[in-house]
Amino acid sequence: MKKIITACALAAGVLTLASCNDFLDQKSPSELSKDNVYNSEYYTSTVINQIYGDLTNDRTYSQDWAILYGLGTDCELVDGIGSTATAASERGYFNYNINGEYSNASKMWTYMYATIEDANLAIEGIEGSSLKDETTMQQYYGEAVCLRAMVYLDLIRAFGDIPMKLESSKSDLSNAYQGKTDRDIILDTLLNQVEEVISLLPWAGTNSYTTEHVTKGYAHALAAQLALTRAGYAIRESAKEGYETASYSDPTYPTQRPDATTRATLYRTALKHLSAIITSGVHKLNPSFENEWYLINQLTLDTEYQENLFEIPMLQDVSGELGYTAGYRLNGVTTQYGYSNSSGKLKVTAPLFYSYDKNDDRRDITCATTQIVPTSKTIIANSDTTVDATCAVETELGNTPFGLYCGKWDPRKENDTWLAQNLKASAKHMTGINVVKVRYPQVLLWYAEVMNELVGPDATDTDGAGITAREALRQVHARAFSDDNKAAANAYVAAIAADKDSFFNAIVQENAWELAGEGARKWDLIRWNLLAQKIYEMKQAYLTELNDGTYQETIYFNYSDANQTKIDASSVTWYGLPTGKTAADYDNSVTSFGKYNETQAKTNLNSICGGLVGEDPSVLGQGDVKNRYLVPIGTTITSASNGYIKNSYDFPF
């Protein structure tokens, strides 16, 4: 039977979903009693696998949280701009225009609370088990507690204050209807619970325990995230006494954060957990940014460096939208790669591309300025034979300053199994690329932020990991440069001024360079109360760079193969023709961002995140409600809540 929880019909009991990786292939024992299930380690493992299975739904982490909910920042845009930026869909919602209901938001709420229900059942079952003190059962308990906290954190990020329900639904529905709980109470509760179970979890790599499970490292990172979110700014349903109100804040729904003393305590908590990760030596930076993303696309766990603290496991051809709905573009069916992909929802921008140092390896992986298109051409088959063929040809996107693809997920780098499937496909199929929840560079950037707040850029601290904030930032930044360019990268970090504000600004910028496209930046910008400001600055940067010669009207490039199907990325003249070169030295050219286009410079630019920052790029703060980055709770949820749940923030329903 299905039970009503917080005004949603949620799956109750032990259900069977499509498995999300090999270790999820077991079937749940729905025919067994609760006592039998939780007095067996084997059957309890299937219950925990069910929770992981919940995370593979499109409305949870396969698509929505992996792609959509992190959109609407200074460098990550939903594909709907211009006339579609107000649509009653993700295109309106993630431009912060709530002009109609987007039904998938209600579905996300329902499926996320279904996951919480499954976690509640598992937690209660283990607590009542005669095996509850066994090491394996304790591990399962820790996994369930952390997964529940992860889902609650993301629901808070989306909706603000929400119901907190930490027990399974009763058969008489006596606990089915609940009102909202202040998010600070939820965050405090979750933080305490996660801290209590960290000791129960193994480090990645212990007895074949992989990063496709909740690891001890991820639990520490989750605790730090909860503490930092609790310490940060949030838009409130009403003002809270003793809290600091931001200078950029709505008069009715203020943006506030806790007082300085509370924040310092929370920073100390975050520092403790971040330091535990760093000093463990279990998780490290892969020396190659490119290789780290190659492994992710290959569906290969990085067991050497374990840079990814937790990857939500997907299953090829069953789950995983990364590489299809977001990623490098295959714009048509080709004999080389097979079926095309969408790559439609997530776009990055020209200002982001040009903000990178030209030698930064992250630039061309994060900002894909090319696509693959099927093209009929005569090719050289061997030294003396030519044939006519339809080729997979790499082409530059041209003058699309707000339409670059995020190349971190790249079908060209996927494994042979995916390629064999895609060559046969005639419709969409899932890539199986895992969703990474926390990478080690995030740990270092959070550590740098907290250390900077507590002791400044260059001091150490007894609660720290023995490195300064500057050293943590240096590790992230320098990793992105080859050995030939590492000295310059180190010099950049060394030259950052030693005052807290200057160093914080450098962390904010590094956050964009490292994490753009991954759905992480938005939540950091929100807790810093910089989301609207940074979007405004991006618009100003585009207009400035459009006029000051930063962008080229035309870029020139060479091909790396005789058939002219692959572009030599090192040849592209992003910064103008090199000294001594002319257009005649290049195989091809295309109009680029510097060529004035009124639709891009006015209609599209103005519409980007218009509901948050307004449609006049010269003025910040024209949105209906300042800092209204949240999405409304759907009418299917509120209407079924018996009046317990209502929208706030002047949402129209």
Side-chain angles (χ1 to χ4, degrees):
M1 147 179 137
K2 290 189 176 180
K3 301 177 182 178
I4 304 297
I5 170 166
T6 57
C8 302
L10 300 185
V14 184
L15 306 180
T16 301
L17 293 185
S19 63
C20 57
N21 214 320
D22 290 346
F23 76 94
L24 297 183
D25 283 342
Q26 304 169 63
K27 303 301 181 186
S28 298
S30 56
E31 72 280 4
L32 298 178
S33 71
K34 180 177 178 181
D35 287 343
N36 288 335
V37 169
Y38 294 105
N39 285 310
S40 161
E41 289 186 358
Y42 169 78
Y43 287 133
T44 302
S45 74
T46 67
V47 174
I48 301 303
N49 289 347
Q50 164 66 34
I51 306 172
Y52 285 102
D54 291 346
L55 307 181
T56 68
N57 190 284
D58 271 358
R59 300 287 75 81
T60 57
Y61 291 92
S62 180
Q63 180 177 159
D64 287 5
W65 271 100
I67 300 170
L68 296 179
Y69 278 82
L71 299 180
T73 75
D74 53 338
C75 56
E76 301 146 317
L77 310 180
V78 70
D79 66 337
I81 53 177
S83 61
T84 63
T86 58
S89 67
E90 68 273 17
R91 292 173 173 87
Y93 269 47
F94 299 110
N95 281 300
Y96 308 101
N97 295 310
I98 313 301
N99 294 329
E101 187 170 356
Y102 173 44
S103 62
N104 277 354
S106 294
K107 294 175 183 176
M108 186 271 283
W109 172 290
T110 299
Y111 279 100
M112 296 285 261
Y113 269 107
T115 306
I116 290 169
E117 178 76 355
D118 284 340
N120 287 341
L121 287 163
I123 291 165
E124 291 170 359
I126 295 170
E127 287 175 339
S129 170
S130 62
L131 304 176
K132 65 181 179 181
D133 294 326
E134 297 295 324
T135 300
T136 301
M137 294 293 278
Q138 292 272 289
Q139 172 198 304
Y140 294 152
Y141 184 82
E143 289 181 78
V145 168
C146 288
L147 290 172
R148 181 175 67 181
M150 179 189 81
V151 172
Y152 261 122
L153 173 60
D154 287 340
L155 281 169
I156 288 169
R157 288 165 161 174
F159 297 103
D161 294 347
I162 56 173
M164 179 174 69
K165 185 170 180 295
L166 301 178
E167 61 178 3
S168 63
S169 297
K170 298 182 185 300
S171 58
D172 63 1
L173 303 184
S174 59
N175 64 346
Y177 298 102
Q178 296 186 13
K180 296 178 183 178
T181 304
D182 184 285
R183 79 196 70 185
D184 290 347
I185 295 174
I186 302 176
L187 291 170
D188 287 340
T189 302
L190 298 176
L191 176 56
N192 289 335
Q193 291 177 343
V194 170
E195 288 191 308
E196 287 174 356
V197 301
I198 289 174
S199 63
L200 308 180
L201 294 162
W203 288 102
T206 303
N207 296 327
S208 302
Y209 193 78
T210 75
T211 53
E212 286 186 320
H213 296 265
V214 171
T215 64
K216 188 186 293 289
Y218 177 66
H220 277 298
L222 179 59
Q225 276 187 300
L226 291 164
L228 290 172
T229 302
R230 176 70 171 85
Y233 283 106
I235 185 172
R236 308 282 176 174
E237 297 198 8
S238 60
K240 300 190 72 171
E241 186 176 354
Y243 278 48
E244 294 180 5
T245 301
S247 57
Y248 183 72
S249 175
D250 189 79
T252 304
Y253 303 103
T255 296
Q256 294 184 312
R257 66 178 178 179
D259 62 85
T261 300
T262 302
R263 293 201 309 276
T265 300
L266 289 163
Y267 292 150
R268 285 281 167 195
T269 298
L271 180 60
K272 174 183 67 176
H273 292 291
L274 298 168
S275 296
I277 299 167
I278 295 169
T279 57
S280 75
V282 172
H283 300 282
K284 313 175 192 66
L285 290 174
N286 183 328
S288 168
F289 183 82
E290 181 179 14
N291 178 255
E292 185 61 28
W293 285 99
Y294 175 76
L295 293 174
I296 290 171
N297 283 293
Q298 284 279 301
L299 314 189
T300 300
L301 293 180
D302 175 8
T303 56
E304 181 175 3
Y305 302 104
Q306 300 187 124
E307 179 171 313
N308 304 326
L309 278 67
F310 175 42
E311 301 183 23
I312 297 175
M314 300 291 160
L315 182 63
Q316 203 163 62
D317 215 29
V318 173
S319 58
E321 293 271 353
L322 294 171
Y324 183 88
T325 300
Y328 188 88
R329 179 75 158 118
L330 303 181
N331 196 356
V333 178
T334 64
T335 56
Q336 183 176 354
Y337 297 110
Y339 191 70
S340 61
N341 64 354
S342 164
S343 293
K345 299 300 182 197
L346 167 58
K347 296 296 192 297
V348 293
T349 69
L352 173 66
F353 179 89
Y354 272 93
S355 72
Y356 285 100
D357 184 281
K358 64 181 180 180
N359 294 315
D360 192 324
D361 292 339
R362 298 172 296 191
R363 187 195 70 178
D364 292 346
I365 293 172
T366 303
C367 305
T369 63
T370 68
Q371 62 181 335
I372 297 296
V373 297
T375 304
S376 297
K377 59 188 301 167
T378 301
I379 64 171
I380 301 170
N382 54 49
S383 59
D384 57 3
T385 305
T386 61
V387 297
D388 293 331
T390 300
C391 302
V393 176
E394 185 178 15
T395 64
E396 288 286 347
L397 294 175
N399 191 7
T400 57
F402 314 118
L404 307 184
Y405 297 104
C406 184
K408 287 179 173 177
W409 306 280
D410 191 338
R412 299 172 301 173
K413 299 174 183 176
E414 288 198 56
N415 61 25
D416 291 341
T417 301
W418 173 86
L419 180 59
Q421 291 170 345
N422 211 51
L423 288 170
K424 297 176 183 177
S426 59
K428 172 182 177 180
H429 69 105
M430 299 296 94
T431 65
I433 296 175
N434 285 350
V435 175
V436 180
K437 283 300 285 183
V438 172
R439 292 198 291 120
Y440 188 64
Q442 289 173 271
V443 171
L444 290 172
L445 291 176
W446 289 330
Y447 178 89
E449 175 191 349
V450 171
M451 285 288 285
N452 183 53
E453 287 292 328
L454 292 173
V455 297
D458 297 305
T460 57
D461 187 272
T462 55
D463 292 332
I467 61 174
T468 65
R470 192 181 301 273
E471 172 58 18
L473 179 62
R474 187 203 66 78
Q475 290 182 24
V476 177
H477 188 76
R479 190 270 292 265
F481 292 80
S482 68
D483 289 344
D484 290 342
N485 298 303
K486 211 166 288 288
N490 289 333
Y492 159 79
V493 177
I496 299 169
D499 64 279
K500 287 186 178 182
D501 288 345
S502 296
F503 199 80
F504 171 73
N505 291 336
I507 293 170
V508 172
Q509 182 60 65
E510 198 71 38
N511 176 290
W513 290 334
E514 180 68 31
L515 302 173
E518 299 177 47
R521 178 167 176 77
K522 183 175 184 176
W523 317 117
D524 289 325
L525 290 176
I526 286 169
R527 64 185 179 81
W528 295 328
N529 194 30
L530 287 178
L531 180 62
Q533 179 65 36
K534 286 298 176 181
I535 294 169
Y536 169 76
E537 289 177 9
M538 180 274 289
K539 294 188 176 190
Q540 298 307 303
Y542 170 73
L543 292 173
T544 298
E545 292 166 354
L546 182 64
N547 293 299
D548 70 3
T550 297
Y551 303 150
Q552 305 302 301
E553 288 197 13
T554 303
I555 56 169
Y556 300 88
F557 54 89
N558 289 318
Y559 295 99
S560 60
D561 64 318
N563 291 315
Q564 297 194 342
T565 62
K566 297 180 180 178
I567 292 173
D568 176 4
S570 66
S571 73
V572 184
T573 61
W574 293 114
Y575 307 98
L577 287 167
T579 302
K581 294 283 189 178
T582 69
D585 294 311
Y586 294 89
D587 296 330
N588 209 339
S589 65
V590 67
T591 299
S592 192
F593 315 133
K595 182 71 173 178
Y596 182 81
N597 179 292
E598 186 165 346
T599 298
Q600 298 286 10
K602 292 187 177 179
T603 302
N604 290 346
L605 178 70
N606 293 359
S607 73
I608 292 170
C609 301
L612 187 72
V613 300
E615 294 194 357
D616 182 348
S618 66
V619 180
L620 174 63
Q622 305 160 77
D624 294 337
V625 176
K626 289 182 180 179
N627 288 331
R628 192 174 70 177
Y629 53 82
L630 300 168
V631 299
I633 301 168
T635 55
T636 58
I637 309 302
T638 57
S639 63
S641 72
N642 283 355
Y644 280 88
I645 303 174
K646 296 179 181 178
N647 270 306
S648 190
Y649 312 107
D650 270 358
F651 284 126
F653 52 85

